[in-house]
Amino acid sequence: MVLANFFTENLAQFWQFTGFANATFEHFVMLAVGLFFIWLAIKKNFEPMLLVPIGFGILIGNIPFNANAGLEIGIYEEGSVLNILYNGVSAGWYPPLIFLGIGAMTDFSALIANPKLMLIGAAAQFGIFGAYMVALALGFAPDQAGAIAIIGGADGPTAIFLSSKLAPNLMGAIAVSAYSYMALVPVIQPPLMRLFTTKKERLIRMRPARAVSQNEKIVFPIVGLLLTCFVVPSGLPLLGMLFFGNLLRESGVTTRLAKTASNALTDIVTILLGMTVGASTQATTFLTKETIFIFLLGFMAFVIASSSGVLFVKLFNLFLPQDKKINPLIGNAGVSAVPMSARISNNLGLEYDPQNYLLMHAMGPNVAGVIGSAVAAGALLGFLA
């Protein structure tokens, strides 16, 4: 009898530590979300490099456990392995490393050859400031509104960096929202591009870009750093690493460093960033009314940003001679989703004219969008921090 009671008590104690005993309806909702992300990545090929780590991270973060048992396994428990890995997100040092890799893998030739394309990248940032005003109207504090608004830049690392400084409590929702809309670029942008352009505009053929010299490519990251960071010094962690990575690429004497930054380092940080961002979406902290508002505001910001780029090109064309007009299909590329948005511009252009290749032209506003979102983040951080 004593032995039976011993086993019964131990089994009951063991049961209290299992996920089954600690599971809530919210946990199963989040597990379903994680599985949905993985399905989108594998079956629909929606940015698998982002959605697989994030989706699996959501599964990791929503395995139920007894938070009072002192097991030190949760991502928000000080000293746990997941918490240590999450420091790269919460302290904001994963995003600059991602920007280093982006700079090392990005060719800025299209932007250097046609600097006016920078204006398209700037116009796309209207989504950020439009969402900021709406978030304020909905009752979010100014720092929270700024962190939410940056989703409109379609730049996950920038969203993480800014939210880690301005609204750490909202970072999980902001990061997942930003990466979700980045992955859904092929779904969201084409209908907007068709809506705001005519068939005649979609058929515009742009003049081939001029050749860019190696000296120009070397000077660009140096001048770019000085110009942008003198205006918004608070953007230095992102912009500094972006232009540093680009100088590694273009200098011609640091090829090995550029390859490491653009391949191995970026892959490692992307794995850790995606997994920990996903794991931060614990049901107890993620499923709130604020999260719903963040996703809605993020969608609105992304729609405004994509539409603003297209509409700005249409307006700009009114002042350009016939032989220098810009195809408005590249306006969507003003957001920071590199090179996804540029591919969408190219694919839609080829749909209406199989000989009209817009990829190189679209890369101009696309890389300008990367710079623009970092500058916008620096500006928001400067007056809200």
Side-chain angles (χ1 to χ4, degrees):
M1 186 67 177
V2 174
L3 186 61
N5 288 337
F6 174 78
F7 278 115
T8 301
E9 290 174 3
N10 276 271
L11 284 173
Q13 186 177 10
F14 174 77
W15 173 256
Q16 296 303 315
F17 283 92
T18 65
F20 298 105
N22 294 281
T24 64
F25 173 73
E26 288 79 6
H27 284 109
F28 290 108
V29 171
M30 291 308 302
L31 290 173
V33 171
L35 292 172
F36 178 64
F37 274 35
I38 295 171
W39 178 80
L40 284 177
I42 296 174
K43 291 297 184 181
K44 298 297 183 179
N45 200 35
F46 283 178
E47 290 305 310
M49 298 287 282
L50 298 176
L51 291 191
V52 168
I54 292 175
F56 202 82
I58 293 174
L59 301 185
I60 292 173
N62 286 281
I63 299 296
F65 62 92
N66 188 339
N68 298 318
L71 300 175
E72 292 189 352
I73 56 175
I75 196 167
Y76 294 115
E77 292 184 282
E78 288 291 334
S80 72
V81 173
L82 286 176
N83 181 259
I84 292 170
L85 295 176
Y86 187 60
N87 281 340
V89 175
S90 58
W93 51 268
Y94 283 156
L97 292 176
I98 292 288
F99 264 67
L100 175 66
I102 293 173
M105 68 178 70
T106 301
D107 184 356
F108 285 94
S109 295
L111 184 60
I112 299 171
N114 194 357
K116 64 177 176 285
L117 297 179
M118 177 69 80
L119 297 174
I120 302 174
Q125 308 313 312
F126 282 121
I128 295 174
F129 296 101
Y132 174 71
M133 300 303 294
V134 175
L136 287 177
L138 289 174
F140 285 96
D143 52 353
Q144 292 177 327
I148 295 168
I150 203 66
I151 297 171
D155 189 335
T158 301
I160 290 171
F161 176 79
L162 190 62
S163 58
S164 71
K165 307 296 183 185
L166 297 181
N169 59 315
L170 302 179
M171 185 161 49
I174 290 170
V176 172
S177 176
Y179 277 114
S180 297
Y181 294 131
M182 284 175 65
L184 292 174
V185 161
V187 176
I188 298 173
Q189 285 196 331
L192 296 172
M193 296 160 69
R194 291 188 177 95
L195 176 65
F196 292 115
T197 58
T198 65
K199 184 176 181 180
K200 181 180 179 181
E201 289 173 328
R202 298 171 203 147
L203 295 174
I204 292 175
R205 290 198 176 190
M206 299 175 63
R207 296 169 60 180
R210 68 173 181 84
V212 176
S213 70
Q214 190 61 31
N215 286 339
E216 288 178 288
K217 293 181 180 181
I218 294 172
V219 170
F220 177 78
I222 298 172
V223 173
L225 171 70
L226 298 177
L227 288 178
T228 56
C229 290
F230 265 78
V231 175
V232 283
S234 47
L236 185 59
L238 297 179
L239 292 164
M241 296 298 271
L242 175 73
F243 289 122
F244 174 48
N246 190 244
L247 183 61
L248 292 179
R249 170 194 169 95
E250 303 298 356
S251 68
V253 293
T254 52
T255 303
R256 193 174 73 183
L257 297 180
K259 286 182 178 178
T260 299
S262 61
N263 294 303
L265 179 62
T266 299
D267 289 345
I268 291 169
V269 177
T270 298
I271 291 170
L272 295 175
L273 178 65
M275 187 275 291
T276 52
V277 162
S280 71
T281 62
Q282 288 187 356
T284 52
T285 59
F286 188 79
L287 289 178
T288 64
K289 182 175 68 174
E290 284 183 333
T291 299
I292 297 173
F293 280 136
I294 288 169
F295 269 80
L296 291 175
L297 285 169
F299 179 75
M300 183 198 73
F302 189 71
V303 168
I304 293 174
S306 300
S307 303
S308 296
V310 175
L311 293 173
F312 175 79
V313 174
K314 290 168 66 75
L315 176 64
F316 198 29
N317 277 343
L318 297 177
F319 305 94
L320 294 175
Q322 188 63 37
D323 62 333
K324 293 185 179 180
K325 290 192 183 297
I326 300 171
N327 191 314
L329 289 180
I330 73 170
N332 72 297
V335 300
S336 183
V338 178
M340 293 172 279
S341 292
R343 289 192 192 126
I344 298 300
S345 304
N346 187 63
N347 293 342
L348 208 58
L350 291 174
E351 183 180 317
Y352 291 94
D353 181 355
Q355 302 301 317
N356 193 11
Y357 294 93
L358 296 172
L359 183 61
M360 286 308 298
H361 299 291
M363 282 303 298
N366 211 184
V367 297
V370 176
I371 299 171
S373 66
V375 170
L380 289 169
L381 184 60
F383 70 81
L384 292 176

